[in-house]
Structures are given as C-alpha cells and as structure tokens.
Amino acid sequence: MDSALASDTPYLRESVRTAVKILIVGHFAVGKTTYVGTLSEIRPLRTEERMTQAGASVDDLAGIKDKTTTTVAMDFGRLTLSDDLVLYLFGAPGQQRFTRLWDDLARGALGALILVDTARLQESFAVMDIVEKQGLPYAVAVNHFEGSPRFPEAEVREALDLAASTPLVSCDARDRVSSTEALISLVDHLLTLDGEQP
C-alpha cells in the first residue's frame, strides 16, 4: 500500500476518482479510536470526551485499565491506496446509547471491520447484530491487548458464531502493519463478494 504520512498529504490528490467508506466498529473500549489513528494518513478527527462520574452507571469500566475518554460521535480518518482510490475510515462509538448514530454512519459504507477483545467477546454480539441488521458485509479482527487471553482461531470463530466465509484475523490496533493486514482482509472479502454477484 502506498500512502503518505499525515504531514505530507493534508489534501486529497486530484487524481482520486473513487472513495470507499469503511466502518470500524466494536464494543466499548476495544480500540477503534486507536485503530483509525494508526492507519489514517491525515490527522484523524476524534470526538473524544473525558469520562465523568455521570457516565459511570452506563460505561462499564470493569477490566479496562486507564480509560479516561470515550468517543461520543465518531472517529474519521483517510487512507490513500493508489493514485485514484482512497478509503475513508469511520469509527463508530461502541456504547449502546450511541447505536442510533450507526444508521447515519452506515449509510453508503461498503463494509465494516469489527474489532473484538478476547477478554470481552460477549460484548461483541450486540455490535455484530447491528452490523448484520445494516446489511453490511464484515470481517472480524481480534485486537490483542496485553494480558488478554489468546485462543486458537477455531475457538474464537465458534464463540462468535462466524460463518466460514467471514474473515477472522488478529491485529494490534497500535501497529500499522497488523492493522493494515486486518483492513486488507476486509477489502479482499468485499472484492470476493462483489465477484460473486451476477
């Protein structure tokens, strides 16, 4: 993938003819903001706010260390894949109270990358339900956190009840290479689905 660093390309190249919208989704505190920031070639737009005591009853911080902010609308980043193709990455907030925003964020999206944490897999089901109700094809990326349990791919696939055709990969949202590989798995999946349509 040929992309420039944030400081090199603040504006879209004139040669770009195709823009693709991709959602980056997952449950609360799974690493969506970090993921978008890692891949974006521009300074990402973030709508993060400090967490307050008022949100303590709805934002479960059990098992989450050092989280002090939360996304309240979306994250936005851009990744240029070639002279004429650019990906727009939209990170959706993970809490249930923000799911109404997903209708707008999903409009026009080609697919979604769902980030999951093996320590909190059960929290992924609500997110997967929303993505499926939107009719979006998706890939799943296990974002490995320090101290999170590691399981064989077959066990994670079974626990999430994934179809055999749904890509399942591992990544570290802080690492550009593994985050790129996760995104490639989604794009490959979308291309395969596109090739299957009459």
Side-chain angles (χ1 to χ4, degrees):
M1 287 193 184
D2 180 32
S3 65
L5 297 175
S7 60
D8 295 335
T9 57
Y11 303 105
L12 194 60
R13 297 176 187 170
E14 289 183 22
S15 59
V16 171
R17 299 289 174 256
T18 305
V20 175
K21 182 179 184 181
I22 300 292
L23 293 187
I24 309 301
V25 299
H27 56 74
F28 174 59
V30 75
K32 301 173 296 293
T33 298
T34 300
Y35 184 92
V36 171
T38 295
L39 285 184
S40 183
E41 67 194 13
I42 59 173
R43 179 171 297 160
L45 167 70
R46 293 186 170 138
T47 58
E48 292 234 305
E49 292 294 331
R50 290 200 61 75
M51 298 178 70
T52 65
Q53 193 62 33
S57 63
V58 289
D59 293 334
D60 184 8
L61 293 174
I64 302 168
K65 295 189 301 185
D66 304 325
K67 181 137 180 90
T68 59
T69 62
T70 187
T71 301
V72 296
M74 67 174 184
D75 299 306
F76 173 78
R78 185 183 79 201
L79 180 62
T80 301
L81 296 183
S82 67
D83 286 339
D84 63 348
L85 176 62
V86 67
L87 294 183
Y88 290 121
L89 307 175
F90 286 81
Q95 298 97 312
Q96 282 296 125
R97 67 182 183 276
F98 294 121
T99 55
R100 295 180 72 182
L101 290 171
W102 286 36
D103 289 338
D104 291 329
L105 290 175
R107 192 171 294 120
L110 287 188
L113 182 66
I114 301 175
L115 296 181
V116 301
D117 175 5
T118 55
R120 299 178 292 143
L121 278 182
Q122 72 282 359
E123 295 180 33
S124 302
F125 293 115
V127 173
M128 293 170 72
D129 285 345
I130 293 169
V131 171
E132 289 174 356
K133 285 177 184 168
Q134 294 290 344
L136 292 173
Y138 61 90
V140 175
V142 177
N143 186 17
H144 285 294
F145 289 85
E146 191 174 322
S148 286
R150 297 193 182 236
F151 300 103
E153 179 182 319
E155 288 184 24
V156 176
R157 183 174 290 281
E158 182 179 353
L160 293 174
D161 194 26
L162 296 180
S165 60
T166 302
L168 175 63
V169 297
S170 294
C171 77
D172 179 337
R174 301 164 298 180
D175 177 68
R176 188 170 179 83
V177 173
S178 69
S179 294
T180 299
E181 290 170 354
L183 190 61
I184 289 170
S185 73
L186 172 62
V187 172
D188 284 345
H189 182 54
L190 297 174
L191 289 172
T192 299
L193 294 175
D194 188 50
E196 291 174 357
Q197 294 184 4

